[in-house]
Amino acid sequence: MEVGTPYSTILSKLYYSETLEGEKKQVSWVQEIPDFDTAPEGIEFSALDTDYTGQVPGRRSADAIPIPVLFTKEQHDVLKTLDKTKDYYWFILLPPETNPSGEPPCFYFQAKVRLGMNALSLDEMLQETLTLYKSTEVQESEGLPTASE
């Protein structure tokens, strides 16, 4: 059995860029990053000569990823200028403590983006939702990808 301590999500960061190796811009005030690399949906099978059913892995779903972000006018103005027809690279960088001997894991993929305002409620923070529509599979690297990779 592996010994160790699980890691906190504190200091996880979300970035985007026009290219894989290009300048990364951080999206600040991220509240949550929902499931972004889910397991494939199961395909159920059975046969006439058996009394049971089974499953095998099927295709991965390309579900939209809604990311709640605290509202700031400055960041809102930048995010709303992103081209809705373009695939940007999106990077989810885990905290540095997840790899004490090197760069922390980074998950990345390409996606189109939409920005929408969340409901306004009494005594709540203003939030908007950054929705990502994945067009590629999720890949992983140590640290943010650079031109030298």
mmCIF file of all heavy atoms in Angstrom, residues 123-146:
data_model
loop_
_atom_site.group_PDB
_atom_site.id
_atom_site.type_symbol
_atom_site.label_atom_id
_atom_site.label_comp_id
_atom_site.label_asym_id
_atom_site.label_seq_id
_atom_site.Cartn_x
_atom_site.Cartn_y
_atom_site.Cartn_z
ATOM 1 N N ASP A 123 -26.777 38.487 -0.668
ATOM 2 C CA ASP A 123 -25.599 38.131 0.138
ATOM 3 C C ASP A 123 -24.683 37.098 -0.517
ATOM 4 O O ASP A 123 -24.106 36.249 0.153
ATOM 5 C CB ASP A 123 -26.014 37.625 1.531
ATOM 6 C CG ASP A 123 -26.711 38.687 2.343
ATOM 7 O OD1 ASP A 123 -26.391 39.879 2.165
ATOM 8 O OD2 ASP A 123 -27.594 38.335 3.156
ATOM 9 N N GLU A 124 -24.563 37.141 -1.818
ATOM 10 C CA GLU A 124 -23.674 36.244 -2.552
ATOM 11 C C GLU A 124 -22.655 37.059 -3.329
ATOM 12 O O GLU A 124 -22.866 38.220 -3.638
ATOM 13 C CB GLU A 124 -24.471 35.373 -3.538
ATOM 14 C CG GLU A 124 -25.391 34.369 -2.874
ATOM 15 C CD GLU A 124 -24.659 33.243 -2.189
ATOM 16 O OE1 GLU A 124 -23.543 32.900 -2.622
ATOM 17 O OE2 GLU A 124 -25.198 32.700 -1.211
ATOM 18 N N MET A 125 -21.547 36.427 -3.671
ATOM 19 C CA MET A 125 -20.543 37.059 -4.525
ATOM 20 C C MET A 125 -21.041 37.050 -5.966
ATOM 21 O O MET A 125 -21.722 36.116 -6.382
ATOM 22 C CB MET A 125 -19.221 36.300 -4.447
ATOM 23 C CG MET A 125 -18.597 36.232 -3.069
ATOM 24 S SD MET A 125 -18.056 37.819 -2.450
ATOM 25 C CE MET A 125 -16.697 38.162 -3.538
ATOM 26 N N LEU A 126 -20.681 38.083 -6.741
ATOM 27 C CA LEU A 126 -21.003 38.088 -8.161
ATOM 28 C C LEU A 126 -20.127 37.043 -8.852
ATOM 29 O O LEU A 126 -18.910 37.007 -8.645
ATOM 30 C CB LEU A 126 -20.726 39.460 -8.776
ATOM 31 C CG LEU A 126 -21.683 40.577 -8.396
ATOM 32 C CD1 LEU A 126 -21.178 41.901 -8.975
ATOM 33 C CD2 LEU A 126 -23.084 40.282 -8.889
ATOM 34 N N GLN A 127 -20.766 36.193 -9.661
ATOM 35 C CA GLN A 127 -20.035 35.156 -10.383
ATOM 36 C C GLN A 127 -20.489 35.115 -11.822
ATOM 37 O O GLN A 127 -21.616 35.481 -12.147
ATOM 38 C CB GLN A 127 -20.297 33.774 -9.775
ATOM 39 C CG GLN A 127 -19.645 33.548 -8.450
ATOM 40 C CD GLN A 127 -19.748 32.085 -8.037
ATOM 41 O OE1 GLN A 127 -19.993 31.206 -8.847
ATOM 42 N NE2 GLN A 127 -19.545 31.820 -6.770
ATOM 43 N N GLU A 128 -19.579 34.651 -12.673
ATOM 44 C CA GLU A 128 -19.943 34.342 -14.041
ATOM 45 C C GLU A 128 -19.424 32.937 -14.325
ATOM 46 O O GLU A 128 -18.609 32.403 -13.583
ATOM 47 C CB GLU A 128 -19.400 35.375 -15.024
ATOM 48 C CG GLU A 128 -17.934 35.659 -14.945
ATOM 49 C CD GLU A 128 -17.556 36.899 -15.759
ATOM 50 O OE1 GLU A 128 -18.336 37.354 -16.604
ATOM 51 O OE2 GLU A 128 -16.458 37.401 -15.541
ATOM 52 N N THR A 129 -19.935 32.341 -15.398
ATOM 53 C CA THR A 129 -19.519 30.991 -15.742
ATOM 54 C C THR A 129 -18.757 31.011 -17.055
ATOM 55 O O THR A 129 -19.238 31.523 -18.057
ATOM 56 C CB THR A 129 -20.732 30.049 -15.862
ATOM 57 O OG1 THR A 129 -21.392 30.004 -14.601
ATOM 58 C CG2 THR A 129 -20.296 28.642 -16.250
ATOM 59 N N LEU A 130 -17.564 30.458 -17.004
ATOM 60 C CA LEU A 130 -16.722 30.281 -18.176
ATOM 61 C C LEU A 130 -16.984 28.838 -18.623
ATOM 62 O O LEU A 130 -16.640 27.902 -17.908
ATOM 63 C CB LEU A 130 -15.265 30.464 -17.744
ATOM 64 C CG LEU A 130 -14.182 30.468 -18.783
ATOM 65 C CD1 LEU A 130 -14.281 31.746 -19.598
ATOM 66 C CD2 LEU A 130 -12.830 30.403 -18.099
ATOM 67 N N THR A 131 -17.629 28.662 -19.773
ATOM 68 C CA THR A 131 -17.945 27.315 -20.240
ATOM 69 C C THR A 131 -16.998 26.941 -21.366
ATOM 70 O O THR A 131 -16.856 27.680 -22.341
ATOM 71 C CB THR A 131 -19.407 27.229 -20.722
ATOM 72 O OG1 THR A 131 -20.260 27.626 -19.639
ATOM 73 C CG2 THR A 131 -19.763 25.811 -21.133
ATOM 74 N N LEU A 132 -16.326 25.799 -21.195
ATOM 75 C CA LEU A 132 -15.372 25.310 -22.186
ATOM 76 C C LEU A 132 -15.979 24.124 -22.933
ATOM 77 O O LEU A 132 -16.513 23.201 -22.323
ATOM 78 C CB LEU A 132 -14.073 24.871 -21.502
ATOM 79 C CG LEU A 132 -13.389 25.925 -20.635
ATOM 80 C CD1 LEU A 132 -12.121 25.360 -20.008
ATOM 81 C CD2 LEU A 132 -13.083 27.174 -21.434
ATOM 82 N N TYR A 133 -15.871 24.161 -24.276
ATOM 83 C CA TYR A 133 -16.377 23.096 -25.135
ATOM 84 C C TYR A 133 -15.177 22.386 -25.752
ATOM 85 O O TYR A 133 -14.607 22.845 -26.735
ATOM 86 C CB TYR A 133 -17.290 23.685 -26.224
ATOM 87 C CG TYR A 133 -18.482 24.401 -25.638
ATOM 88 C CD1 TYR A 133 -18.428 25.769 -25.376
ATOM 89 C CD2 TYR A 133 -19.644 23.707 -25.330
ATOM 90 C CE1 TYR A 133 -19.519 26.431 -24.825
ATOM 91 C CE2 TYR A 133 -20.739 24.364 -24.776
ATOM 92 C CZ TYR A 133 -20.670 25.726 -24.530
ATOM 93 O OH TYR A 133 -21.750 26.379 -23.978
ATOM 94 N N LYS A 134 -14.792 21.242 -25.139
ATOM 95 C CA LYS A 134 -13.575 20.522 -25.543
ATOM 96 C C LYS A 134 -13.644 20.024 -26.973
ATOM 97 O O LYS A 134 -14.665 19.515 -27.419
ATOM 98 C CB LYS A 134 -13.342 19.311 -24.636
ATOM 99 C CG LYS A 134 -12.827 19.617 -23.289
ATOM 100 C CD LYS A 134 -12.344 18.396 -22.548
ATOM 101 C CE LYS A 134 -13.291 17.247 -22.569
ATOM 102 N NZ LYS A 134 -12.899 16.125 -21.724
ATOM 103 N N SER A 135 -12.511 20.153 -27.685
ATOM 104 C CA SER A 135 -12.417 19.621 -29.040
ATOM 105 C C SER A 135 -11.269 18.617 -29.182
ATOM 106 O O SER A 135 -11.097 18.027 -30.237
ATOM 107 C CB SER A 135 -12.242 20.763 -30.046
ATOM 108 O OG SER A 135 -11.071 21.489 -29.761
ATOM 109 N N THR A 136 -10.481 18.455 -28.133
ATOM 110 C CA THR A 136 -9.391 17.471 -28.141
ATOM 111 C C THR A 136 -9.414 16.689 -26.831
ATOM 112 O O THR A 136 -10.061 17.092 -25.863
ATOM 113 C CB THR A 136 -8.000 18.136 -28.281
ATOM 114 O OG1 THR A 136 -7.765 18.971 -27.131
ATOM 115 C CG2 THR A 136 -7.896 18.959 -29.553
ATOM 116 N N GLU A 137 -8.680 15.584 -26.822
ATOM 117 C CA GLU A 137 -8.572 14.821 -25.580
ATOM 118 C C GLU A 137 -7.690 15.577 -24.584
ATOM 119 O O GLU A 137 -6.897 16.436 -24.962
ATOM 120 C CB GLU A 137 -8.004 13.432 -25.851
ATOM 121 C CG GLU A 137 -6.560 13.435 -26.305
ATOM 122 C CD GLU A 137 -6.024 12.040 -26.563
ATOM 123 O OE1 GLU A 137 -6.534 11.074 -25.984
ATOM 124 O OE2 GLU A 137 -5.080 11.931 -27.350
ATOM 125 N N VAL A 138 -7.824 15.236 -23.315
ATOM 126 C CA VAL A 138 -7.008 15.842 -22.268
ATOM 127 C C VAL A 138 -5.644 15.178 -22.274
ATOM 128 O O VAL A 138 -5.541 13.949 -22.311
ATOM 129 C CB VAL A 138 -7.683 15.685 -20.887
ATOM 130 C CG1 VAL A 138 -6.784 16.215 -19.782
ATOM 131 C CG2 VAL A 138 -9.033 16.391 -20.879
ATOM 132 N N GLN A 139 -4.591 15.996 -22.280
ATOM 133 C CA GLN A 139 -3.221 15.488 -22.213
ATOM 134 C C GLN A 139 -2.585 15.969 -20.912
ATOM 135 O O GLN A 139 -3.120 16.849 -20.247
ATOM 136 C CB GLN A 139 -2.427 15.977 -23.413
ATOM 137 C CG GLN A 139 -3.006 15.462 -24.723
ATOM 138 C CD GLN A 139 -2.194 15.896 -25.905
ATOM 139 O OE1 GLN A 139 -0.976 15.792 -25.899
ATOM 140 N NE2 GLN A 139 -2.859 16.404 -26.931
ATOM 141 N N GLU A 140 -1.449 15.395 -20.581
ATOM 142 C CA GLU A 140 -0.795 15.731 -19.316
ATOM 143 C C GLU A 140 0.691 15.967 -19.548
ATOM 144 O O GLU A 140 1.317 15.300 -20.368
ATOM 145 C CB GLU A 140 -0.997 14.579 -18.323
ATOM 146 C CG GLU A 140 -0.494 14.871 -16.935
ATOM 147 C CD GLU A 140 -0.824 13.760 -15.952
ATOM 148 O OE1 GLU A 140 -1.652 12.885 -16.251
ATOM 149 O OE2 GLU A 140 -0.216 13.768 -14.866
ATOM 150 N N SER A 141 1.227 16.953 -18.806
ATOM 151 C CA SER A 141 2.658 17.224 -18.860
ATOM 152 C C SER A 141 3.130 17.587 -17.456
ATOM 153 O O SER A 141 2.319 17.812 -16.566
ATOM 154 C CB SER A 141 2.974 18.390 -19.829
ATOM 155 O OG SER A 141 2.393 19.592 -19.359
ATOM 156 N N GLU A 142 4.440 17.616 -17.284
ATOM 157 C CA GLU A 142 4.992 18.111 -16.029
ATOM 158 C C GLU A 142 5.213 19.602 -16.207
ATOM 159 O O GLU A 142 6.030 20.016 -17.031
ATOM 160 C CB GLU A 142 6.281 17.391 -15.663
ATOM 161 C CG GLU A 142 6.041 15.988 -15.164
ATOM 162 C CD GLU A 142 7.253 15.385 -14.470
ATOM 163 O OE1 GLU A 142 8.179 16.130 -14.110
ATOM 164 O OE2 GLU A 142 7.250 14.170 -14.300
ATOM 165 N N GLY A 143 4.467 20.410 -15.487
ATOM 166 C CA GLY A 143 4.524 21.852 -15.647
ATOM 167 C C GLY A 143 3.800 22.286 -16.914
ATOM 168 O O GLY A 143 3.315 21.461 -17.692
ATOM 169 N N LEU A 144 3.708 23.595 -17.105
ATOM 170 C CA LEU A 144 3.078 24.135 -18.306
ATOM 171 C C LEU A 144 3.929 23.793 -19.524
ATOM 172 O O LEU A 144 5.147 23.911 -19.473
ATOM 173 C CB LEU A 144 2.934 25.657 -18.191
ATOM 174 C CG LEU A 144 1.902 26.145 -17.171
ATOM 175 C CD1 LEU A 144 2.096 27.623 -16.883
ATOM 176 C CD2 LEU A 144 0.504 25.861 -17.641
ATOM 177 N N PRO A 145 3.313 23.348 -20.624
ATOM 178 C CA PRO A 145 4.087 23.021 -21.836
ATOM 179 C C PRO A 145 4.846 24.236 -22.343
ATOM 180 O O PRO A 145 4.344 25.364 -22.302
ATOM 181 C CB PRO A 145 3.013 22.603 -22.846
ATOM 182 C CG PRO A 145 1.845 22.190 -22.024
ATOM 183 C CD PRO A 145 1.892 23.064 -20.799
ATOM 184 N N THR A 146 6.077 24.003 -22.799
ATOM 185 C CA THR A 146 6.902 25.091 -23.324
ATOM 186 C C THR A 146 7.397 24.716 -24.723
ATOM 187 O O THR A 146 7.230 23.585 -25.158
ATOM 188 C CB THR A 146 8.127 25.346 -22.412
ATOM 189 O OG1 THR A 146 8.914 24.154 -22.376
ATOM 190 C CG2 THR A 146 7.706 25.732 -21.006
#
